[in-house]
Amino acid sequence: MPARPSVLFVTDLAYEARGRRYCDEDIFLSSRLRDDFDIALCHPLDAAALMDTFDAVVVRNSGPVLHYQKEYDAFRERAAARGTRVYNPLSGRGDMGGKQYLLDLTAAGFPVIPTIDRPQDLGRLPEAGEYAVKPKAGADSIGLAFVPRDQLGGLAYGDILVQPRIDFRYEVSFYYVDDAFQYALHAPDPRRRWVLEPYEPTDTDLGFARRFIDWNTLDHGIQRVDACRTQGGELLLVELEDLNPYLSLDLVTDQTRDTFVTSMTASLHRFLDTPPRT
């Protein structure tokens, strides 16, 4: 009998995230993936030291990497140097590389919340009651502040992003495995981001999300497209999460959860069967 592929499943089971149970989700996922793979769980700080003996490294709910940026950068460098298979692949153009993509997408005319990082670009932002100021390397709303427009000129630009604070009706997230849509969830109350309910997307909604999946060009992996519905009815991108997107699997039906696991399992097999990029 051929040996089963081995997977190092990277997760911080002790990380406390507001409104989310990282540990529950990853215990569930790893237990189901064990049907097809030999699985070992490890903390993100241990991944670089352990990964050489596994066929692939799956990065899941590992917490914001800004808490261990030096170690994460070393992990990426070591994986690239050794040709380690990392899932999601480290070529993601979304949150995996910081928030630069919000600037790139704004410049390219994508439906994204307008984003700038230079004082000379303040004129490109629409009028708003307040503006969101966040670090380029931020995550989980760490470092987020809201300021009036008359204070924007005095900010220390360079490592921050500025966006108008959008008066939105709700937030909605679209979940993908590779380029295949899996399910959508939305937060009906804008004040309660992680109180989510199932959402039935329209063809227009899926077309919106698909633009960002196509733009990211990831051949394999899990992605979450976060958007807000404005008072005018349009969707604007909030975040393209391609590093370790939380999946809220506890909020979907058993059938949807099973379908997701099946899709992820098949994706991992395809990933392992695909020759590595050189």
Side-chain angles (χ1 to χ4, degrees), residues 16 24 26 50 97 142 177 234 240:
E16 296 183 4
D24 290 350
D26 282 352
L50 298 174
I142 297 170
V177 173
E234 67 175 326
L240 177 57

Side-chain angles (χ1 to χ4, degrees), residues 146-267:
F146 296 103
V147 301
R149 191 176 185 96
D150 61 8
Q151 294 182 16
L152 294 180
L155 297 175
Y157 288 85
D159 295 323
I160 63 169
L161 301 175
V162 179
Q163 299 175 317
R165 188 173 189 176
I166 301 296
D167 179 22
F168 59 88
R169 288 157 50 188
Y170 57 81
E171 289 188 74
V172 58
S173 295
F174 306 89
Y175 302 79
Y176 284 77
V177 173
D178 297 349
D179 62 351
F181 171 72
Q182 301 296 310
Y183 56 92
L185 296 168
H186 80 305
D189 185 345
R191 298 166 299 180
R192 306 172 72 188
R193 168 66 180 95
W194 295 105
V195 180
L196 298 167
E197 298 177 2
Y199 178 83
E200 191 63 38
T202 65
D203 289 343
T204 301
D205 293 340
L206 293 178
F208 164 90
R210 184 57 185 256
R211 287 186 66 182
F212 298 102
I213 296 298
D214 290 344
W215 176 85
N216 203 15
T217 67
L218 271 183
D219 294 330
H220 308 276
I222 299 168
Q223 299 178 71
R224 193 185 75 218
V225 179
D226 294 337
C228 63
R229 179 80 68 186
T230 69
Q231 296 297 335
E234 67 175 326
L235 286 177
L236 294 177
L237 182 77
V238 174
E239 185 174 50
L240 177 57
E241 179 58 79
D242 59 2
L243 172 57
N244 50 10
Y246 185 69
L247 303 170
S248 299
L249 288 172
D250 58 322
L251 301 179
V252 301
T253 65
D254 291 346
Q255 181 179 352
T256 298
R257 192 160 43 245
D258 289 342
T259 299
F260 180 88
V261 172
T262 299
S263 296
M264 183 180 177
T265 300
S267 172

